[in-house]
Amino acid sequence: MTNKYIKIELLPTKTGIGGSFMTTASFKLDNISAPFGNVSVKIDTGCSISTIPLARFHALNEFCDSLKADDIENNVPYEISYGVESGGMSHSKPVTFEEKKQNPAMKFRHTIRDFRIAGMPVQQNAIYVNYNRKGNILIGMDILQYWDIHIGTSKITGKNMFLACPETCICQEYRNALEENFSIAII
């Protein structure tokens, strides 16, 4: 199914305090032969660089070590990303092959194709892949910065809603959703 914009309802925490915007995505990575279809992703404005943690997929667990070794040996560009849980700690940059193999914070830049979030095509040709982490796939600001985004309480449902559309192709359906949910009109 192809959507022209994204509409996600806030998924509350078990305690009812806060929550997150979760949806699905489909894509193809350059180093994995099988496509990923309708996998869970989290919209995360606190994440600078979108990341796919491959260890979360049980079928890929046995391949993660060799995929990471291939990326290290092939000098695939990478970033070190520790996340909020360890951001205040000091970390040394891995130098040797073995240090890189053991470092769980490395994420490697890969080509992504046929990328859709909540059924909406995403014009993104690269994404970072981590082979050690098992957390959520995070859609961060490297992608979100190019979208028109509105978050608020929908006057239709009374629930907190995330509406987004790429700035380069704002469609009438998105304009209608903004008007109906938030009484916002954009030109």
Side-chain angles (χ1 to χ4, degrees):
M1 174 168 82
T2 299
N3 292 326
K4 294 182 179 180
Y5 70 98
I6 295 174
K7 180 179 178 181
I8 309 168
E9 189 176 294
L10 183 73
L11 178 65
T13 62
K14 290 179 182 169
T15 64
I17 300 171
S20 55
F21 291 107
M22 303 292 294
T23 190
T24 59
S26 298
F27 52 88
K28 178 97 175 63
L29 295 172
D30 63 357
N31 66 334
I32 308 275
S33 59
F36 293 79
N38 293 317
V39 295
S40 179
V41 298
K42 182 178 190 176
I43 304 296
D44 188 349
T45 60
C47 173
S48 299
I49 301 172
S50 300
T51 304
I52 299 172
L54 283 184
R56 77 174 283 119
F57 300 101
H58 299 294
L60 295 174
N61 272 340
E62 64 184 83
F63 302 109
C64 284
D65 285 342
S66 63
L67 289 169
K68 184 174 184 179
D70 289 346
D71 281 1
I72 295 168
E73 288 171 355
N74 293 320
N75 292 313
V76 172
Y78 68 88
E79 296 285 335
I80 303 290
S81 172
Y82 289 96
V84 295
E85 73 282 352
S86 60
M89 304 166 130
S90 66
H91 305 283
S92 58
K93 184 176 180 179
V95 178
T96 68
F97 177 85
E98 200 52 45
E99 287 173 344
K100 290 176 180 178
K101 278 281 289 170
Q102 298 304 317
N103 189 310
M106 293 182 75
K107 58 185 177 185
F108 298 85
R109 190 173 195 264
H110 281 276
T111 301
I112 189 168
R113 297 186 325 267
D114 304 326
F115 193 14
R116 293 178 183 276
I117 298 175
M120 183 187 78
V122 177
Q123 299 303 315
Q124 182 81 4
N125 60 7
I127 198 157
Y128 282 80
V129 174
N130 178 290
Y131 298 104
N132 301 99
R133 294 191 177 150
K134 296 180 180 178
N136 292 311
I137 295 174
L138 301 177
I139 305 302
M141 290 308 296
D142 57 323
I143 294 173
L144 300 175
Q145 70 181 333
Y146 300 110
W147 295 358
D148 184 79
I149 296 172
H150 294 273
I151 299 172
T153 304
S154 168
K155 64 182 190 178
I156 297 171
T157 66
K159 305 221 176 179
N160 200 284
M161 191 74 61
F162 173 95
L163 293 177
C165 185
E167 290 176 333
T168 57
C169 55
I170 292 178
C171 60
Q172 190 57 48
E173 292 88 343
Y174 178 64
R175 288 183 177 99
N176 294 345
L178 286 173
E179 175 65 36
E180 293 165 1
N181 287 279
F182 305 137
S183 298
I184 295 174
I186 60 172
I187 302 172

